[in-house]
Amino acid sequence: MRLGVLDVGSNTVHLQVFDTHNGARPNPTFNYKEDLRLTEYIDSANNISTAGIDALRSAIKNATTQAKAVQTKELLPFATSALREAANGPEIIAAVNKEFEIDLQVLTGEDEAKLTFLAARRWFGWSAGRLLVIDIGGGSLEIASGIDEAPEVAVSLPLGAARLTKDHLTGDPFTAKSIRALRDHIEAQLESILPALVQHQNSDRAIATSKTLRTLARLTGDWFGGNGKVITLDSIRKMPGKLADMTLDDRIKLPGVSANRARQITAGAFVTESVMRNLDLEKLEVCPWALREGVILKYMDWTER
């Protein structure tokens, strides 16, 4: 069965097509992505602007055309924090669904955390024991923990790398004042969920998913030694300041860092450092599966019933 996952996120509109069947692991066969940076189109009234809507429609049109071209049997479209929180999000989604004859669904932050956790559990298997899974997207941070396929705790905070960059960081390089404001904001937000997570900090394995965390793992490996598959507490303590001292052009030149990711990788590093420090995590292991794989796995589980 050829399934397509259409991820309408805060950074990108990303189509990933998988071939799979009941009992099989999802095999990615086609990939199409457009950098959209939807958070940059949100105005002071929390509405996505006309220009943003036009850009979104164009990206979805291109993605759905690509899905048909590769003979996708079923398209599973979902939207995350940018559309979820926009004041005009519901009307945008209704119009998109009608125009392109799709069923774009908004995931809650808790849904994101649960589906990402499912993907990590299936990747690492039951022998991995209790997992703590961390995902940093463009608009939000998700953390989930548990021993089974459904986490015991699943939380979401508005600490996505694109959102934090847009709302808090100024200058090129970023100013010391804006960096201090960013760090204070992250710490204040994390305080609200620490009581729910502190009992899970001694999980058997702490897992990192998402492009932001994979990029940070690669950079820590390049700069501080390692294989690019883990983020250690020692290395992430050094990372944010090093990135903050760079200009945007400097960060764009870093290996494996796209122009879009270079804008927000500093904020992602500060969030990662804060989470690891507050939860006393010595290292994070990178998982190649994340939310999109979780959506596919959940759908396949549902079709088996």
Side-chain angles (χ1 to χ4, degrees), residues 3-7 14-18 20 24-31 76 78 107 112 114-123 135 209-211 214 287-301:
L3 300 175
V5 177
L6 181 57
D7 178 355
H14 192 161
L15 168 70
Q16 194 156 16
V17 177
F18 299 84
T20 189
R25 60 177 283 171
N27 179 37
T29 57
F30 180 77
N31 191 63
L76 309 175
F78 66 88
L107 296 181
E112 287 189 59
K114 288 179 177 179
L115 288 166
T116 303
F117 184 88
L118 172 63
R121 168 57 72 195
R122 294 280 177 90
W123 179 266
D135 182 285
T209 69
S210 79
K211 179 65 173 179
R214 291 197 301 272
C287 177
W289 281 5
L291 178 57
R292 287 184 290 276
E293 286 79 10
V295 169
I296 286 287
L297 292 167
K298 192 71 173 179
Y299 178 83
M300 294 304 297
D301 288 350

Side-chain angles (χ1 to χ4, degrees), residues 148-168:
D148 298 316
E149 291 200 336
E152 297 159 18
V153 175
V155 296
S156 178
L157 288 174
L159 292 177
R163 180 200 299 267
L164 293 174
T165 303
K166 176 177 181 285
D167 291 349
H168 295 279

Side-chain angles (χ1 to χ4, degrees), residues 116-117 119-121 123-125 127-136 144 201-218 220 227-233 235-236 272 275-276 281-290:
T116 303
F117 184 88
R121 168 57 72 195
W123 179 266
F124 285 101
S127 63
R130 179 177 293 278
L131 298 182
L132 177 67
V133 178
I134 298 167
D135 182 285
I136 301 174
Q201 68 188 60
N202 292 322
S203 296
D204 296 297
R205 298 174 88 158
I207 308 302
T209 69
S210 79
K211 179 65 173 179
T212 292
L213 287 163
R214 291 197 301 272
T215 301
L216 288 171
R218 175 172 179 169
T220 58
N227 58 10
K229 297 180 180 179
V230 299
I231 301 172
T232 65
L233 181 58
S235 65
I236 200 62
T272 306
V275 170
M276 292 186 71
L281 302 177
E282 289 299 320
K283 71 174 182 177
L284 293 174
E285 300 177 62
V286 172
C287 177
W289 281 5

